[in-house]
Amino acid sequence: MNITSLGEARFPSPVRHTVNDQAQIPAVIVRDPAAPKRDEVLFELAGPRAKLFFDPAKTRAGIVTCGGLCPGLNNVIRALFLELHHTYGVAEVLGSRAVIRVLTPRGPELMVIGPAFVNQIHQHGGIILGTSRGPVDCARPRRSAQ
């Protein structure tokens, strides 16, 4: 599942304030002025870009959660949906209740997420999309009993 390149970003972003693609953050911010200069590790600055790889109006996004309980995850799901829907204008947002199945041959159980779905989820505990850790039957060949 390694994606080396998405190609050229061609679609203008609907976000007004974007991040420069060339901006970088050093891994070590505090430096000893007496230390010798050396190659440093730099990270890409996170944030919205001026150009997008996908046309938001023709994009279907998926929200996938995994693992155990995570306090506040409903707030994250809600905020992510609201940003995708209202800021970017993404055509459809899906969520998965059976997360672990996203990566298995049976496939996921997907549901459409809309404004009514996320309207009050930040006021409830648990995770609206559910959690799962397994077990997963990946249909591996079984050894024969001898």
Side-chain angles (χ1 to χ4, degrees):
M1 298 183 79
N2 184 14
I3 300 171
T4 56
S5 174
L6 294 174
E8 179 186 348
R10 301 175 297 152
F11 301 95
S13 174
V15 178
R16 287 184 184 202
H17 303 286
T18 59
V19 173
N20 182 322
D21 286 337
Q22 307 308 316
Q24 297 178 322
I25 305 287
V28 178
I29 297 173
V30 178
R31 300 176 183 153
D32 179 357
K37 297 252 183 209
R38 61 179 182 195
D39 289 340
E40 61 182 331
V41 176
L42 298 171
F43 297 100
E44 183 177 314
L45 184 62
R49 301 297 197 239
K51 295 281 188 172
L52 305 174
F53 290 100
F54 304 101
D55 181 356
K58 297 177 182 175
T59 298
R60 177 186 294 163
I63 299 175
V64 178
T65 59
C66 60
L69 290 176
C70 176
L73 196 55
N74 282 345
N75 293 36
V76 173
I77 293 166
R78 182 175 187 268
L80 182 56
F81 168 79
L82 294 173
E83 190 74 10
L84 288 166
H85 181 73
H86 292 294
T87 303
Y88 285 92
V90 169
E92 185 176 43
V93 180
L94 303 173
S96 176
R97 286 192 183 271
V99 180
I100 202 72
R101 283 193 243 160
V102 170
L103 302 174
T104 65
R106 290 191 313 189
E109 293 176 16
L110 298 174
M111 59 187 300
V112 176
I113 296 176
F117 180 82
V118 300
N119 188 36
Q120 302 293 322
I121 66 172
H122 60 295
Q123 297 177 6
H124 303 285
I127 301 172
I128 197 73
L129 294 178
T131 62
S132 61
R133 288 190 173 174
V136 177
D137 177 12
C138 294
R140 294 184 190 157
R142 298 175 190 233
R143 294 182 186 169
S144 59
Q146 294 180 4

